[in-house]
Coordinates of all heavy atoms in Angstrom, one line a residue:
M213 N -8.7 -32.8 1.8 CA -8.9 -32.7 3.2 C -8.2 -31.5 3.8 O -7.1 -31.2 3.5 CB -8.4 -34.0 3.8 CG -8.7 -34.2 5.3 SD -8.1 -35.9 5.7 CE -8.1 -35.7 7.5
I214 N -8.9 -30.9 4.7 CA -8.4 -29.7 5.4 C -8.1 -30.0 6.9 O -8.9 -30.5 7.6 CB -9.3 -28.5 5.3 CG1 -9.6 -28.1 3.8 CG2 -8.8 -27.3 6.0 CD1 -10.6 -27.1 3.6
K215 N -6.9 -29.7 7.3 CA -6.5 -29.8 8.7 C -6.0 -28.5 9.2 O -5.6 -27.6 8.4 CB -5.4 -30.8 8.8 CG -5.8 -32.3 8.7 CD -4.7 -33.2 9.1 CE -5.2 -34.6 9.2 NZ -4.2 -35.5 9.8
Y216 N -6.0 -28.3 10.5 CA -5.5 -27.1 11.1 C -4.4 -27.4 12.1 O -4.4 -28.4 12.7 CB -6.6 -26.4 11.9 CG -7.7 -25.9 10.9 CD1 -8.8 -26.7 10.6 CD2 -7.6 -24.7 10.4 CE1 -9.8 -26.3 9.8 CE2 -8.6 -24.2 9.5 CZ -9.7 -25.0 9.3 OH -10.7 -24.6 8.4
K217 N -3.4 -26.5 12.2 CA -2.3 -26.7 13.2 C -1.9 -25.3 13.7 O -2.0 -24.3 13.0 CB -1.2 -27.4 12.6 CG -0.2 -26.6 11.8 CD 1.1 -27.3 11.5 CE 2.0 -26.4 10.8 NZ 3.4 -26.8 10.6
Y218 N -1.5 -25.3 14.9 CA -1.0 -24.1 15.5 C 0.5 -24.0 15.3 O 1.2 -25.0 15.6 CB -1.2 -24.0 17.0 CG -2.6 -23.3 17.4 CD1 -3.6 -24.1 17.9 CD2 -2.7 -22.0 17.2 CE1 -4.8 -23.5 18.2 CE2 -3.9 -21.4 17.5 CZ -4.9 -22.1 18.0 OH -6.1 -21.5 18.3
T219 N 1.0 -22.9 14.9 CA 2.5 -22.6 14.9 C 2.7 -21.6 16.0 O 2.1 -20.5 16.1 CB 2.9 -22.1 13.6 OG1 2.6 -23.0 12.6 CG2 4.4 -21.9 13.5
E220 N 3.7 -21.9 16.9 CA 3.9 -21.0 18.0 C 5.4 -20.6 18.0 O 6.3 -21.4 17.8 CB 3.6 -21.9 19.3 CG 3.8 -21.1 20.6 CD 3.5 -22.0 21.8 OE1 2.6 -22.9 21.6 OE2 4.1 -21.9 22.8
F221 N 5.6 -19.3 18.2 CA 6.9 -18.8 18.3 C 6.9 -17.4 19.1 O 5.9 -16.9 19.4 CB 7.6 -18.6 16.9 CG 6.7 -17.9 15.9 CD1 6.9 -16.6 15.7 CD2 5.8 -18.6 15.2 CE1 6.1 -15.9 14.8 CE2 5.0 -17.9 14.3 CZ 5.2 -16.6 14.1
Y222 N 8.1 -16.9 19.3 CA 8.3 -15.6 20.0 C 8.5 -14.5 19.0 O 9.2 -14.7 18.0 CB 9.5 -15.7 21.0 CG 9.2 -16.5 22.2 CD1 9.6 -17.9 22.2 CD2 8.6 -16.0 23.3 CE1 9.3 -18.7 23.3 CE2 8.3 -16.8 24.4 CZ 8.7 -18.1 24.4 OH 8.4 -18.9 25.5
I223 N 7.9 -13.3 19.3 CA 8.1 -12.2 18.5 C 8.8 -11.1 19.3 O 8.5 -11.0 20.5 CB 6.8 -11.7 17.8 CG1 5.7 -11.4 18.8 CG2 6.4 -12.7 16.8 CD1 4.5 -10.8 18.2
Q224 N 9.6 -10.3 18.7 CA 10.3 -9.2 19.4 C 9.7 -7.8 19.1 O 10.1 -6.8 19.7 CB 11.8 -9.2 19.1 CG 12.4 -10.5 19.7 CD 13.9 -10.6 19.4 OE1 14.4 -9.9 18.5 NE2 14.6 -11.3 20.2
S225 N 8.9 -7.7 18.1 CA 8.3 -6.4 17.7 C 7.0 -6.7 17.1 O 6.5 -7.9 17.0 CB 9.2 -5.6 16.8 OG 9.2 -6.2 15.5
N226 N 6.3 -5.7 16.5 CA 5.0 -5.9 15.9 C 5.2 -6.4 14.5 O 4.2 -6.5 13.7 CB 4.2 -4.6 16.0 CG 4.8 -3.5 15.2 OD1 6.0 -3.4 15.0 ND2 3.9 -2.6 14.7
I227 N 6.4 -6.6 14.0 CA 6.7 -7.1 12.7 C 7.5 -8.4 12.8 O 8.4 -8.5 13.6 CB 7.5 -6.1 11.9 CG1 6.8 -4.8 11.8 CG2 7.8 -6.6 10.5 CD1 7.7 -3.6 11.3
F228 N 7.1 -9.4 12.0 CA 7.8 -10.7 12.0 C 7.5 -11.4 10.7 O 6.7 -11.0 9.9 CB 7.3 -11.5 13.2 CG 5.9 -11.9 13.2 CD1 5.4 -13.1 12.7 CD2 4.9 -11.0 13.7 CE1 4.1 -13.4 12.7 CE2 3.6 -11.3 13.7 CZ 3.1 -12.5 13.2
F229 N 8.3 -12.5 10.5 CA 8.1 -13.3 9.3 C 7.4 -14.6 9.6 O 7.7 -15.2 10.6 CB 9.4 -13.5 8.6 CG 9.9 -12.2 7.9 CD1 10.7 -11.3 8.6 CD2 9.6 -12.0 6.6 CE1 11.1 -10.2 8.0 CE2 10.0 -10.8 6.0 CZ 10.8 -9.9 6.7
F230 N 6.4 -14.9 8.8 CA 5.7 -16.2 8.9 C 5.4 -16.8 7.5 O 4.9 -16.1 6.7 CB 4.4 -15.9 9.7 CG 3.5 -17.1 9.9 CD1 3.9 -18.2 10.7 CD2 2.3 -17.2 9.2 CE1 3.1 -19.3 10.8 CE2 1.5 -18.3 9.4 CZ 1.9 -19.3 10.2
N231 N 5.8 -18.0 7.3 CA 5.7 -18.6 6.0 C 6.2 -17.7 4.9 O 5.5 -17.5 3.8 CB 4.2 -19.0 5.7 CG 3.8 -20.2 6.5 OD1 4.6 -20.9 7.1 ND2 2.5 -20.5 6.5
Q232 N 7.4 -17.1 5.1 CA 8.0 -16.2 4.1 C 7.2 -15.0 3.8 O 7.4 -14.4 2.7 CB 8.4 -17.0 2.9 CG 9.3 -18.1 3.1 CD 9.6 -19.0 1.9 OE1 8.8 -19.0 1.0 NE2 10.6 -19.8 2.0
K233 N 6.3 -14.6 4.7 CA 5.6 -13.4 4.5 C 5.9 -12.4 5.7 O 6.0 -12.9 6.8 CB 4.1 -13.6 4.5 CG 3.6 -14.4 3.3 CD 2.1 -14.6 3.5 CE 1.6 -15.5 2.3 NZ 0.3 -16.1 2.6
R234 N 6.0 -11.2 5.3 CA 6.2 -10.2 6.4 C 4.8 -9.9 7.0 O 3.9 -9.5 6.3 CB 6.8 -8.9 5.8 CG 7.2 -7.8 6.7 CD 7.7 -6.6 5.9 NE 7.5 -5.4 6.6 CZ 8.4 -4.7 7.2 NH1 9.7 -5.2 7.2 NH2 8.1 -3.6 7.8
M235 N 4.8 -10.1 8.3 CA 3.5 -9.9 9.1 C 3.6 -8.8 10.0 O 4.7 -8.4 10.4 CB 3.2 -11.2 9.9 CG 3.3 -12.5 9.1 SD 1.9 -12.6 7.9 CE 0.5 -12.9 9.0
A236 N 2.4 -8.3 10.4 CA 2.3 -7.2 11.4 C 1.3 -7.4 12.4 O 0.2 -7.9 12.0 CB 2.1 -5.8 10.6
V237 N 1.5 -7.0 13.6 CA 0.5 -7.1 14.7 C 0.1 -5.6 14.8 O 0.9 -4.7 15.1 CB 1.1 -7.6 16.0 CG1 0.0 -7.6 17.1 CG2 1.6 -9.0 15.8
I238 N -1.2 -5.4 14.5 CA -1.7 -4.0 14.5 C -3.0 -4.0 15.5 O -3.9 -4.8 15.3 CB -2.1 -3.6 13.1 CG1 -0.8 -3.5 12.3 CG2 -2.8 -2.2 13.1 CD1 -1.1 -3.3 10.8
S239 N -2.9 -3.0 16.4 CA -4.1 -2.8 17.3 C -4.8 -1.5 16.9 O -4.1 -0.4 16.8 CB -3.6 -2.7 18.7 OG -3.1 -3.9 19.1
I240 N -6.1 -1.6 16.7 CA -6.9 -0.4 16.4 C -8.3 -0.6 17.0 O -8.8 -1.7 16.9 CB -6.9 0.0 14.9 CG1 -7.6 1.3 14.7 CG2 -7.5 -1.2 14.1 CD1 -7.5 1.8 13.3
K241 N -8.8 0.4 17.7 CA -10.1 0.3 18.3 C -10.3 -0.9 19.2 O -11.2 -1.7 19.1 CB -11.2 0.2 17.2 CG -11.7 1.6 16.8 CD -12.7 2.1 17.8 CE -13.3 3.4 17.3 NZ -14.0 4.1 18.3
N242 N -9.3 -1.2 20.1 CA -9.3 -2.3 21.0 C -9.4 -3.6 20.4 O -9.8 -4.6 21.0 CB -10.5 -2.1 22.0 CG -10.4 -0.9 22.8 OD1 -9.3 -0.4 23.1 ND2 -11.5 -0.3 23.1
K243 N -9.0 -3.7 19.1 CA -8.9 -5.0 18.4 C -7.5 -5.2 17.9 O -6.9 -4.2 17.5 CB -9.9 -5.1 17.2 CG -11.3 -5.3 17.6 CD -12.2 -5.4 16.4 CE -12.8 -6.8 16.3 NZ -13.5 -7.1 15.1
T244 N -7.0 -6.4 18.0 CA -5.7 -6.7 17.5 C -5.8 -7.6 16.3 O -6.5 -8.6 16.3 CB -4.8 -7.3 18.6 OG1 -4.8 -6.4 19.7 CG2 -3.4 -7.6 18.1
F245 N -5.1 -7.2 15.2 CA -5.1 -8.0 14.0 C -3.7 -8.5 13.7 O -2.7 -7.8 13.9 CB -5.5 -7.1 12.8 CG -6.9 -6.5 13.0 CD1 -7.1 -5.3 13.5 CD2 -8.0 -7.3 12.6 CE1 -8.3 -4.7 13.7 CE2 -9.3 -6.8 12.8 CZ -9.4 -5.5 13.3
V246 N -3.6 -9.7 13.2 CA -2.3 -10.2 12.7 C -2.5 -10.4 11.2 O -3.3 -11.3 10.8 CB -2.0 -11.6 13.4 CG1 -0.7 -12.2 12.8 CG2 -1.8 -11.4 14.9
I247 N -1.9 -9.5 10.5 CA -2.1 -9.5 9.0 C -0.8 -9.5 8.3 O 0.2 -9.1 8.8 CB -3.0 -8.3 8.6 CG1 -2.2 -7.0 9.1 CG2 -4.4 -8.3 9.2 CD1 -2.9 -5.7 8.5
E248 N -0.9 -9.7 7.0 CA 0.3 -9.6 6.2 C 0.6 -8.1 6.1 O -0.4 -7.3 5.9 CB 0.0 -10.1 4.8 CG 1.3 -10.3 4.0 CD 1.1 -11.1 2.7 OE1 0.0 -11.7 2.5 OE2 2.0 -11.0 1.8
D249 N 1.8 -7.7 6.2 CA 2.2 -6.3 6.3 C 2.2 -5.7 4.9 O 3.3 -5.3 4.4 CB 3.6 -6.1 7.0 CG 3.9 -4.7 7.3 OD1 3.0 -3.9 7.3 OD2 5.1 -4.4 7.6
K250 N 1.0 -5.6 4.3 CA 0.9 -5.2 2.9 C -0.4 -4.5 2.7 O -1.5 -5.0 2.9 CB 0.9 -6.5 2.2 CG 1.5 -6.5 0.8 CD 1.6 -8.0 0.4 CE 1.7 -8.1 -1.1 NZ 1.6 -9.4 -1.6
C251 N -0.3 -3.3 2.2 CA -1.5 -2.5 1.8 C -2.2 -3.1 0.6 O -1.6 -3.7 -0.3 CB -1.0 -1.1 1.5 SG -2.3 0.0 0.9
K252 N -3.5 -2.9 0.6 CA -4.3 -3.5 -0.5 C -4.0 -2.8 -1.8 O -4.3 -3.3 -2.9 CB -5.8 -3.3 -0.2 CG -6.3 -1.9 0.0 CD -7.7 -1.8 0.4 CE -8.1 -0.4 0.6 NZ -9.4 -0.2 1.1
H253 N -3.4 -1.6 -1.8 CA -3.2 -0.8 -3.0 C -1.9 -1.4 -3.8 O -2.1 -2.0 -4.8 CB -3.0 0.7 -2.7 CG -2.7 1.5 -3.9 ND1 -1.8 2.5 -3.9 CD2 -3.3 1.6 -5.1 CE1 -1.8 3.1 -5.0 NE2 -2.7 2.5 -5.8
R254 N -0.7 -1.1 -3.2 CA 0.5 -1.5 -3.9 C 1.5 -2.2 -2.9 O 2.7 -2.2 -3.2 CB 1.2 -0.4 -4.6 CG 0.4 0.0 -5.8 CD 1.3 0.8 -6.7 NE 0.7 1.0 -8.0 CZ 1.1 1.9 -8.9 NH1 2.2 2.6 -8.6 NH2 0.5 2.0 -10.1
G255 N 0.9 -2.6 -1.8 CA 1.8 -3.4 -0.9 C 2.6 -2.6 0.1 O 3.6 -3.1 0.6
G256 N 2.2 -1.4 0.3 CA 2.9 -0.5 1.3 C 2.9 -1.2 2.7 O 2.0 -2.0 3.0
P257 N 3.8 -0.8 3.6 CA 3.9 -1.4 4.9 C 2.8 -0.8 5.9 O 2.9 0.3 6.3 CB 5.3 -1.0 5.4 CG 5.6 0.3 4.7 CD 4.8 0.2 3.4
L258 N 1.8 -1.6 6.2 CA 0.7 -1.2 7.1 C 1.2 -1.1 8.5 O 0.6 -0.4 9.3 CB -0.4 -2.2 7.0 CG -1.3 -2.1 5.7 CD1 -2.4 -3.1 5.8 CD2 -1.8 -0.7 5.5
S259 N 2.4 -1.7 8.8 CA 2.9 -1.5 10.2 C 3.3 -0.1 10.4 O 3.5 0.3 11.5 CB 4.1 -2.5 10.4 OG 5.0 -2.3 9.3
L260 N 3.6 0.7 9.3 CA 4.0 2.1 9.5 C 2.8 3.0 9.2 O 3.0 4.2 9.1 CB 5.1 2.4 8.5 CG 6.4 1.6 8.7 CD1 7.4 1.9 7.6 CD2 7.0 1.8 10.0
A261 N 1.6 2.4 9.1 CA 0.4 3.3 8.8 C 0.0 4.1 9.9 O 0.3 3.8 11.1 CB -0.7 2.4 8.4
K262 N -0.6 5.3 9.6 CA -1.1 6.1 10.6 C -2.5 5.6 11.0 O -3.2 5.1 10.1 CB -1.3 7.6 10.1 CG -0.6 8.6 10.9 CD -1.1 10.0 10.5 CE -0.4 10.5 9.2 NZ -0.9 11.8 8.8
K263 N -2.8 5.6 12.3 CA -4.1 5.1 12.7 C -5.1 6.3 12.9 O -4.8 7.3 13.5 CB -4.0 4.4 14.1 CG -3.3 3.1 14.0 CD -3.2 2.5 15.4 CE -2.2 1.5 15.5 NZ -1.9 1.0 16.9
D264 N -6.3 6.1 12.3 CA -7.4 7.0 12.6 C -8.4 6.2 13.4 O -9.2 5.5 12.8 CB -8.0 7.5 11.3 CG -9.0 8.6 11.5 OD1 -9.6 8.6 12.6 OD2 -9.3 9.3 10.5
E265 N -8.3 6.3 14.7 CA -9.2 5.5 15.6 C -10.6 5.9 15.4 O -11.5 5.0 15.5 CB -8.8 5.7 17.1 CG -7.3 5.3 17.4 CD -7.3 3.8 17.9 OE1 -8.3 3.2 18.1 OE2 -6.1 3.3 17.9
L266 N -10.9 7.1 15.1 CA -12.3 7.5 15.0 C -13.0 6.9 13.8 O -14.1 6.3 13.8 CB -12.4 9.1 14.8 CG -12.9 9.8 16.0 CD1 -13.0 11.3 15.7 CD2 -14.2 9.3 16.6
A267 N -12.3 6.9 12.7 CA -12.8 6.4 11.4 C -12.5 4.9 11.3 O -13.0 4.2 10.4 CB -12.2 7.1 10.2
E268 N -11.8 4.3 12.3 CA -11.4 2.9 12.3 C -10.7 2.5 11.0 O -11.0 1.5 10.3 CB -12.6 2.0 12.5 CG -13.2 2.3 13.8 CD -14.4 1.3 14.1 OE1 -14.5 0.3 13.4 OE2 -15.1 1.6 15.1
V269 N -9.7 3.3 10.6 CA -8.9 3.0 9.4 C -7.4 3.2 9.7 O -7.0 3.9 10.6 CB -9.3 3.9 8.2 CG1 -10.7 3.6 7.8 CG2 -9.0 5.4 8.5
L270 N -6.6 2.5 8.9 CA -5.2 2.7 8.8 C -4.9 3.4 7.5 O -5.4 3.0 6.5 CB -4.4 1.3 8.8 CG -4.5 0.4 10.0 CD1 -3.8 -0.9 9.7 CD2 -3.9 1.1 11.2
I271 N -4.1 4.5 7.6 CA -3.8 5.2 6.4 C -2.4 4.9 6.0 O -1.4 5.1 6.7 CB -3.9 6.7 6.7 CG1 -5.4 7.0 7.1 CG2 -3.6 7.6 5.5 CD1 -5.6 8.3 7.8
C272 N -2.3 4.3 4.8 CA -1.0 3.8 4.3 C 0.0 4.9 4.1 O -0.4 6.0 3.6 CB -1.2 3.0 3.0 SG 0.3 2.4 2.3
P273 N 1.3 4.7 4.5 CA 2.3 5.8 4.4 C 2.7 6.0 2.9 O 3.2 7.1 2.6 CB 3.5 5.3 5.2 CG 3.3 3.8 5.2 CD 1.8 3.5 5.2
W274 N 2.4 5.1 2.0 CA 2.9 5.3 0.6 C 2.0 6.3 -0.2 O 2.4 7.2 -0.8 CB 3.0 4.0 -0.1 CG 4.2 3.2 0.3 CD1 5.1 3.6 1.3 CD2 4.7 2.0 -0.3 NE1 6.1 2.6 1.4 CE2 5.9 1.7 0.4 CE3 4.3 1.2 -1.3 CZ2 6.6 0.5 0.1 CZ3 5.0 0.1 -1.6 CH2 6.2 -0.2 -0.9
H275 N 0.7 6.0 -0.2 CA -0.2 6.8 -1.1 C -1.5 7.3 -0.3 O -2.4 7.7 -0.9 CB -0.6 6.1 -2.3 CG 0.5 5.5 -3.1 ND1 0.8 4.1 -3.0 CD2 1.4 6.0 -3.9 CE1 1.9 3.9 -3.7 NE2 2.2 5.0 -4.3
Q276 N -1.4 7.1 1.0 CA -2.5 7.6 1.9 C -3.9 7.0 1.6 O -4.9 7.6 1.9 CB -2.6 9.1 1.9 CG -1.5 9.8 2.7 CD -0.1 9.7 2.0 OE1 0.0 9.9 0.8 NE2 0.9 9.3 2.8
I277 N -3.9 5.8 1.2 CA -5.2 5.1 1.0 C -5.6 4.5 2.3 O -4.8 4.0 3.1 CB -5.2 4.0 -0.1 CG1 -5.2 4.7 -1.5 CG2 -6.3 3.0 0.0 CD1 -5.1 3.8 -2.7
S278 N -6.9 4.6 2.7 CA -7.4 4.0 3.9 C -7.7 2.5 3.8 O -8.2 2.1 2.8 CB -8.7 4.7 4.3 OG -8.5 6.1 4.5
N279 N -7.2 1.8 4.8 CA -7.5 0.4 5.0 C -8.4 0.2 6.2 O -8.0 0.4 7.3 CB -6.2 -0.4 5.2 CG -5.3 -0.4 3.9 OD1 -5.4 -1.4 3.2 ND2 -4.6 0.6 3.7
C280 N -9.7 -0.1 6.0 CA -10.6 -0.1 7.1 C -10.5 -1.4 7.9 O -10.0 -2.4 7.4 CB -12.1 0.1 6.6 SG -12.7 -1.3 5.7
V281 N -11.1 -1.3 9.1 CA -11.1 -2.5 10.0 C -11.8 -3.7 9.4 O -11.3 -4.8 9.5 CB -11.7 -2.1 11.3 CG1 -12.0 -3.3 12.2 CG2 -10.9 -1.1 12.1
L282 N -12.8 -3.5 8.6 CA -13.5 -4.6 7.9 C -12.5 -5.3 7.0 O -12.5 -6.6 6.9 CB -14.7 -4.1 7.1 CG -15.9 -3.8 8.0 CD1 -17.0 -3.2 7.1 CD2 -16.4 -5.0 8.8
H283 N -11.7 -4.6 6.2 CA -10.7 -5.1 5.3 C -9.7 -5.9 6.1 O -9.3 -7.0 5.8 CB -10.1 -4.0 4.5 CG -9.0 -4.5 3.7 ND1 -9.1 -5.3 2.5 CD2 -7.6 -4.3 3.8 CE1 -7.9 -5.5 2.0 NE2 -7.0 -5.0 2.8
L284 N -9.2 -5.3 7.3 CA -8.2 -6.0 8.1 C -8.8 -7.3 8.7 O -8.1 -8.3 8.8 CB -7.8 -5.1 9.2 CG -7.1 -3.7 8.9 CD1 -6.8 -3.0 10.1 CD2 -5.9 -4.0 8.0
N285 N -10.1 -7.2 9.0 CA -10.7 -8.4 9.6 C -10.7 -9.6 8.6 O -10.5 -10.7 9.0 CB -12.2 -8.1 10.0 CG -12.5 -8.6 11.4 OD1 -11.8 -9.3 12.0 ND2 -13.7 -8.2 11.8
K286 N -10.9 -9.3 7.3 CA -10.9 -10.3 6.3 C -9.5 -10.9 6.2 O -9.4 -12.1 5.9 CB -11.3 -9.7 5.0 CG -12.8 -9.5 4.8 CD -13.1 -9.1 3.4 CE -14.4 -8.3 3.3 NZ -14.5 -7.6 2.1
K287 N -8.5 -10.1 6.4 CA -7.1 -10.5 6.2 C -6.5 -11.1 7.4 O -5.4 -11.5 7.4 CB -6.3 -9.3 5.7 CG -6.7 -8.7 4.4 CD -6.1 -9.5 3.3 CE -6.4 -8.8 2.0 NZ -5.8 -9.6 0.9
N288 N -7.2 -11.0 8.5 CA -6.7 -11.4 9.8 C -6.4 -12.9 9.9 O -7.2 -13.7 9.5 CB -7.7 -11.0 10.9 CG -7.1 -11.2 12.3 OD1 -6.0 -10.9 12.5 ND2 -8.0 -11.6 13.2
Y289 N -5.2 -13.2 10.4 CA -4.8 -14.6 10.7 C -5.3 -15.0 12.1 O -5.0 -14.3 13.0 CB -3.3 -14.8 10.6 CG -2.7 -14.9 9.3 CD1 -2.8 -13.8 8.3 CD2 -2.0 -16.0 8.9 CE1 -2.3 -13.9 7.1 CE2 -1.4 -16.1 7.6 CZ -1.6 -15.1 6.7 OH -1.0 -15.1 5.5
P290 N -6.1 -16.0 12.2 CA -6.5 -16.4 13.6 C -5.3 -16.7 14.4 O -4.4 -17.5 14.1 CB -7.3 -17.7 13.3 CG -7.6 -17.8 11.9 CD -6.5 -16.9 11.2
S291 N -5.2 -16.0 15.5 CA -4.0 -16.1 16.4 C -4.3 -15.7 17.8 O -5.3 -15.2 18.1 CB -2.9 -15.2 15.8 OG -3.4 -13.9 15.7
L292 N -3.3 -16.1 18.6 CA -3.4 -15.8 20.1 C -2.1 -15.2 20.5 O -1.0 -15.8 20.2 CB -3.7 -17.1 20.8 CG -3.8 -17.0 22.3 CD1 -5.0 -16.2 22.7 CD2 -3.9 -18.4 22.9
I293 N -2.1 -14.0 21.1 CA -0.9 -13.4 21.5 C -0.9 -13.3 23.0 O -1.8 -12.7 23.6 CB -0.8 -12.0 20.9 CG1 -0.8 -12.0 19.4 CG2 0.5 -11.3 21.3 CD1 -1.0 -10.7 18.7
I294 N 0.2 -13.8 23.6 CA 0.4 -13.7 25.1 C 1.8 -13.2 25.3 O 2.8 -13.9 25.1 CB 0.2 -15.1 25.8 CG1 -1.2 -15.6 25.5 CG2 0.4 -15.0 27.3 CD1 -1.5 -17.1 25.9
G295 N 1.9 -12.0 25.8 CA 3.2 -11.4 26.0 C 3.9 -11.3 24.6 O 3.4 -10.7 23.7
N296 N 5.1 -11.8 24.5 CA 5.8 -11.8 23.3 C 5.7 -13.2 22.6 O 6.5 -13.5 21.7 CB 7.2 -11.3 23.5 CG 8.0 -12.2 24.4 OD1 7.5 -13.1 25.0 ND2 9.3 -12.0 24.5
K297 N 4.8 -14.0 23.0 CA 4.6 -15.3 22.3 C 3.3 -15.2 21.4 O 2.3 -14.7 21.9 CB 4.4 -16.3 23.4 CG 4.6 -17.7 22.9 CD 4.1 -18.6 24.0 CE 4.9 -19.7 24.4 NZ 4.4 -20.5 25.5
I298 N 3.4 -15.8 20.3 CA 2.3 -15.7 19.4 C 2.0 -17.2 18.9 O 2.9 -17.9 18.6 CB 2.5 -14.8 18.2 CG1 1.2 -14.6 17.4 CG2 3.6 -15.2 17.3 CD1 1.2 -13.4 16.4
K299 N 0.7 -17.5 18.8 CA 0.3 -18.8 18.2 C -0.6 -18.4 17.0 O -1.6 -17.7 17.1 CB -0.6 -19.5 19.2 CG 0.1 -20.3 20.2 CD -0.9 -21.0 21.1 CE -0.3 -22.0 22.0 NZ -1.3 -22.8 22.7
I300 N -0.3 -18.9 15.8 CA -1.1 -18.7 14.6 C -1.7 -20.0 14.2 O -1.0 -21.0 14.0 CB -0.2 -18.1 13.5 CG1 0.4 -16.7 14.0 CG2 -1.0 -17.9 12.2 CD1 1.2 -16.0 13.0
L301 N -3.0 -19.9 13.9 CA -3.7 -21.1 13.4 C -3.5 -21.2 11.9 O -3.8 -20.2 11.1 CB -5.1 -21.0 13.7 CG -6.0 -22.2 13.4 CD1 -5.6 -23.5 14.2 CD2 -7.5 -21.9 13.7
E302 N -3.0 -22.3 11.4 CA -2.7 -22.5 10.0 C -3.7 -23.5 9.4 O -3.9 -24.5 10.0 CB -1.3 -23.0 9.7 CG -0.3 -22.0 9.8 CD 1.1 -22.7 9.4 OE1 1.7 -23.3 10.3 OE2 1.4 -22.6 8.2
K303 N -4.2 -23.2 8.2 CA -5.0 -24.2 7.5 C -4.1 -25.0 6.5 O -3.3 -24.4 5.8 CB -6.0 -23.5 6.7 CG -7.1 -24.4 6.1 CD -8.3 -23.6 5.7 CE -8.5 -23.0 4.4 NZ -9.7 -22.4 4.1
I304 N -4.1 -26.3 6.6 CA -3.3 -27.2 5.8 C -4.2 -28.0 4.9 O -5.1 -28.7 5.4 CB -2.4 -28.1 6.6 CG1 -1.6 -27.3 7.6 CG2 -1.6 -29.0 5.8 CD1 -1.0 -28.2 8.7
V305 N -4.1 -27.9 3.6 CA -4.9 -28.6 2.6 C -4.0 -29.8 2.2 O -2.9 -29.7 1.7 CB -5.2 -27.8 1.4 CG1 -6.1 -28.6 0.4 CG2 -6.0 -26.5 1.9
I306 N -4.6 -31.0 2.5 CA -3.9 -32.3 2.1 C -4.5 -32.8 0.9 O -5.7 -32.9 0.7 CB -4.0 -33.3 3.3 CG1 -3.4 -32.6 4.5 CG2 -3.3 -34.6 2.9 CD1 -3.6 -33.5 5.8
Ligands
FES589 S1 0.6 1.1 -1.3 FE1 -0.7 1.7 0.3 S2 -1.7 3.4 -0.6 FE2 -0.5 2.7 -2.1

């Protein structure tokens, strides 16, 4: 059985920890993503990535591989951000 619950807390920057994972809030092309702060290549910090708004990609600071918006969309945690408060929807498998 699958259930969902919201976890709500305050964040002080675009990086925070959630379920022992380092998370990042990243805005690109008027979209905001809440994703694990980990590049698809070798786990580089996407929170430090360079944004290429035209190509809609984040360029990882470690090896300069592009992480496109479509990839970020797949990794996005459903969430709601209001000011410095964030609500993340979690899936719980019972
Ligand atoms: S870890 Fe991101 S490009 Fe290698």
Side-chain angles (χ1 to χ4, degrees):
M213 185 174 164
I214 298 173
K215 283 189 168 189
Y216 295 90
K217 80 166 187 173
Y218 269 111
T219 302
E220 183 179 325
F221 50 94
Y222 288 93
I223 54 175
Q224 293 180 337
S225 71
N226 67 332
I227 303 166
F228 61 95
F229 285 88
F230 177 66
N231 286 348
Q232 298 172 346
K233 291 178 187 162
R234 186 181 151 108
M235 307 292 289
V237 179
I238 295 171
S239 295
I240 185 167
K241 270 282 186 188
N242 298 327
K243 282 185 117 187
T244 301
F245 300 96
V246 176
I247 57 171
E248 196 172 342
D249 190 14
K250 210 171 160 185
C251 172
K252 63 184 177 187
H253 180 225
R254 289 200 170 165
L258 287 181
S259 55
L260 300 177
K262 237 193 280 174
K263 290 180 196 171
D264 183 339
E265 297 269 350
L266 255 183
E268 298 185 13
V269 295
L270 293 176
I271 300 164
C272 179
W274 283 7
H275 310 101
Q276 283 71 47
I277 284 181
S278 296
N279 291 263
C280 70
V281 169
L282 284 177
H283 173 73
L284 299 180
N285 226 353
K286 284 186 201 164
K287 299 275 187 180
N288 191 35
Y289 279 61
S291 54
L292 179 65
I293 302 168
I294 302 169
N296 60 352
K297 195 191 228 178
I298 188 165
K299 279 180 166 187
I300 297 181
L301 185 63
E302 280 185 276
K303 189 160 90 175
I304 304 166
V305 180
I306 300 173

